[in-house]
Amino acid sequence: MSTTPTQQEAEPEEQYDSALVTARRQLERAATHIDVDEGVIERLKHPTKVQQVSVPLERDNGEVEVFTGYRAQHDDVRGPYKGGLRYHPEVTAEECTGLSMWMTWKCAVMDLPFGGGKGGIAIDPKSLSADETERLTRRFAEEIRDVVGPTKDVPAPDMGTDAQTMAWFMDAYSMQQGETIPGVVTGKPPVIGGSYGREEAPGRSTAIAAREAIQYEGHEVSETTVAVQGFGSVGANAARLLEDWGATIVAVSDVNGALYDPDGLSTHEIPTHDEEAEAVLEQDAPQTISNEDVLELDVDVLIPAAVGNVITADNADAVEADIVVEGANGPTTFAADTILEERDVTVIPDILANAGGVTVSYFEWLQDINRRQWTLEEVNEELEDKMLSAWADVREEVEAKDLTWRDAAYVVALSRIAEAKATRGLWP
C-alpha cells in the first residue's frame, strides 16, 4: 500500500514524542554552536545508570500487586543527581532517562551544583488510597535506598507525588539509616525541613522568565495578554503573579477545557487543581474553549504549563503568540520548535523558565545541611537573583551567537558541564 502525504508528515513527529529522543536531538543541535569535545557530547547522550526495581504493594483488600519503579541518573560531574519522582501509568526507563538529561541541563543553566536524575513508578496514583500511597512510597524508598542520599541523589516531587510523598520517603530512608536525614529529598513540608516557596517556585520562575522576555522584546507587562494551558501549581502561580504585575490573563485551562475572556480573568478567584481538582470550567467566564484552542489564541504570551508534546508539527503554524514560555517539561516537540523558529516566535525553554523548582530545591538542600530555615522572603529574593543571573547568561549567548533561546540555554549548560569534565578528567 502506498504511503499518503499525511502519513509521511506524521511519521517524523511521532518519533519526537520520546523525551529521550528529543533531549538527544536538542543536545546534538546545541553542540554545533560550541567547541566541545565530541567525547563529552557522546557521553552526555547516555545516563550513568538506570535503576529498575520491583515495588510490591499490599492493597487495602489484602491483595498484593507488584509495580515497576525506576531511577535514572544522567550525570553527576557537577554534583549529586537531582530530579523528581513521578507516579504515572506511562513512567518508563526511557522517559526517566530523557527527563534526567533535561535536569542535567537545567541545573547547569542555573549554575547549581547538581546533575540530572529522574524516577518514578508506573502506576495510576488515582487508583491508590492514601494508605496505599504511603506503603508504596515507603517500599520504593527502601528499594532505591542504596542509590539515593544527600550527597548521591536527591529526589523531589513530580507528577502524581507531593510534599506528603516526600515526607514518607524521607522518613522511610531515615528509619533505615538510623538517623533523621532531611536532605535525602526536597519538596518536603516546612515542618520537617522543607523550604517555604518550594511548591510555588516553578510557577514563579516561569512568570519571571515571561516578564523578562516581554521586556526584552520591548513591551510592557501591563500591556500584555497571556494564555495559560494548565492551571496546576506551575500554571496557576505563573498566571497569578503575572496578573499581579499587570498582565491580562485571557485564558486558563485544566484537563476539561479552558475559560476565555479577552478582557481578562481574575485568576486569584479560580481554584487551582490542588485547591479543587478539575474546577476551572465551573467558574464564570464569557466563553469556554478547548485546551487545543488555548494554544492557538491571538495573545502576546502563551504559557504551556500542563504536559509535554502539546505544541507539535501539526499545530505549530497555528500558534499566534509572539512569545512561548515553557512552564511544562517538554511541551514543544523538536519539529515544532523548528517551525516556531522559522516563524520568529520567541520560545523560552523549560530548562530556564521552570527551573525555579530545582533552584528552590537547592535552597532547601542547603537549609537541611545547615539546619537553618529561610523565610519566604529570603527564598523569593534568592530565586529572583538566580533567575536574573541565568537569564543574563543565556541572553549573552543569544546576542553573541544569534541563537534561539533554547540553543543559547544549552550552550550555557554544555559549557559548564564540559569545563567540569575537562577539569576532573576521565578516570582511570
Side-chain angles (χ1 to χ4, degrees):
M1 185 177 71
S2 62
T3 302
T4 66
T6 300
Q7 289 173 319
Q8 290 176 338
E9 292 170 1
E11 286 170 2
E13 186 61 34
E14 290 173 0
Q15 66 179 316
Y16 302 145
D17 288 347
S18 161
L20 179 57
V21 170
T22 301
R24 284 175 173 165
R25 286 181 176 275
Q26 290 169 343
L27 171 63
E28 290 168 354
R29 171 169 167 150
T32 64
H33 300 296
I34 183 174
D35 184 16
V36 176
D37 185 275
E38 290 184 6
V40 171
I41 300 301
E42 184 61 29
R43 164 67 188 83
L44 290 172
K45 291 179 182 178
H46 308 277
T48 300
K49 65 179 71 171
V50 180
Q51 302 287 328
Q52 178 175 323
V53 298
S54 295
V55 188
L57 168 67
E58 182 179 351
R59 290 286 197 170
D60 291 338
N61 63 7
E63 295 181 359
V64 174
E65 292 186 55
V66 180
F67 299 93
T68 303
Y70 305 93
R71 186 63 182 177
Q73 298 172 326
H74 177 242
D75 188 84
D76 66 345
V77 70
R78 288 170 49 86
Y81 303 103
K82 187 80 188 76
L85 292 177
R86 54 177 52 186
Y87 293 173
H88 191 275
E90 297 178 8
V91 169
T92 64
E94 183 175 356
E95 180 198 49
C96 290
T97 300
L99 293 172
S100 73
M101 291 176 69
W102 277 329
M103 285 303 301
T104 297
W105 321 140
K106 192 176 293 186
C107 291
V109 166
M110 297 304 297
D111 205 13
L112 306 177
F114 290 132
K118 207 76 172 186
I121 302 174
I123 190 170
D124 180 2
K126 295 179 181 178
S127 71
L128 299 171
S129 69
D131 288 342
E132 289 172 337
T133 303
E134 179 177 355
R135 291 195 294 272
L136 183 79
T137 300
R138 290 182 180 277
R139 185 57 185 252
F140 187 39
E142 173 59 20
E143 295 296 340
I144 66 171
R145 179 165 61 91
D146 290 343
V147 300
V148 298
T151 60
K152 292 181 181 179
D153 184 348
V154 186
D158 204 305
M159 291 173 58
T161 60
D162 56 19
Q164 180 60 69
T165 317
M166 295 302 104
W168 289 326
F169 191 105
M170 185 273 280
D171 184 69
Y173 180 87
S174 296
M175 292 295 286
Q176 294 288 18
Q177 296 296 109
E179 59 180 310
T180 299
I181 306 178
V184 65
V185 294
T186 58
K188 305 177 297 296
V191 71
I192 56 168
S195 177
Y196 294 112
R198 167 60 183 82
E199 184 176 349
E200 301 85 1
R204 176 171 285 271
S205 67
T206 299
I208 293 171
R211 180 193 69 199
E212 295 304 306
I214 292 165
Q215 294 174 345
Y216 184 81
E217 296 292 336
H219 305 297
E220 296 293 332
V221 176
S222 60
E223 299 173 357
T224 300
T225 55
V226 181
V228 180
Q229 187 196 54
F231 206 63
S233 179
V234 178
N237 282 293
R240 289 171 176 176
L241 196 53
L242 286 167
E243 182 186 354
D244 291 343
W245 291 339
T248 301
I249 314 300
V250 302
V252 300
S253 75
D254 64 14
V255 66
N256 297 315
L259 301 177
Y260 175 61
D261 186 346
D263 294 326
L265 300 164
S266 297
T267 58
H268 288 276
E269 297 177 5
I270 303 171
T272 69
H273 181 77
D274 290 337
E275 292 166 348
E276 189 179 343
E278 301 182 13
V280 167
L281 292 189
E282 296 176 8
Q283 313 308 307
D284 293 329
Q287 189 176 349
T288 59
I289 58 177
S290 70
N291 266 297
E292 293 74 22
D293 290 338
V294 172
L295 301 172
E296 300 175 7
L297 287 175
D298 184 7
V299 292
D300 299 311
V301 178
L302 170 65
I303 301 179
V307 295
N309 297 329
V310 295
I311 302 178
T312 69
D314 294 331
N315 64 5
D317 277 322
V319 172
E320 294 195 47
D322 299 318
I323 301 170
V324 175
V325 181
E326 296 184 333
N329 288 322
T332 310
T333 67
F334 189 84
D337 214 28
T338 301
I339 295 171
L340 294 177
E341 179 184 0
E342 292 172 350
R343 296 182 53 223
D344 292 325
V345 176
T346 298
V347 179
I348 308 301
D350 47 5
I351 63 172
L352 174 61
N354 71 20
V358 70
T359 303
V360 175
S361 280
Y362 168 57
F363 298 161
E364 180 175 331
W365 184 72
L366 290 176
Q367 293 170 69
D368 289 337
I369 290 173
N370 294 303
R371 295 295 199 269
R372 185 184 77 81
Q373 195 166 56
W374 301 1
T375 66
L376 178 60
E377 290 74 19
E378 289 174 317
V379 170
N380 287 341
E381 287 175 7
E382 290 288 339
L383 176 58
E384 177 90 8
D385 288 345
K386 290 293 286 184
M387 284 300 299
L388 293 182
S389 177
W391 178 270
D393 292 337
V394 175
R395 183 190 64 211
E396 184 176 330
E397 295 295 338
V398 168
E399 296 173 347
K401 297 185 173 76
D402 191 28
L403 301 176
T404 67
W405 286 86
R406 191 184 309 280
D407 286 342
Y410 270 80
V411 166
V412 170
L414 276 176
S415 297
R416 289 171 175 161
I417 295 167
E419 183 178 3
K421 286 189 175 294
T423 302
R424 288 185 59 169
L426 181 64
W427 186 90

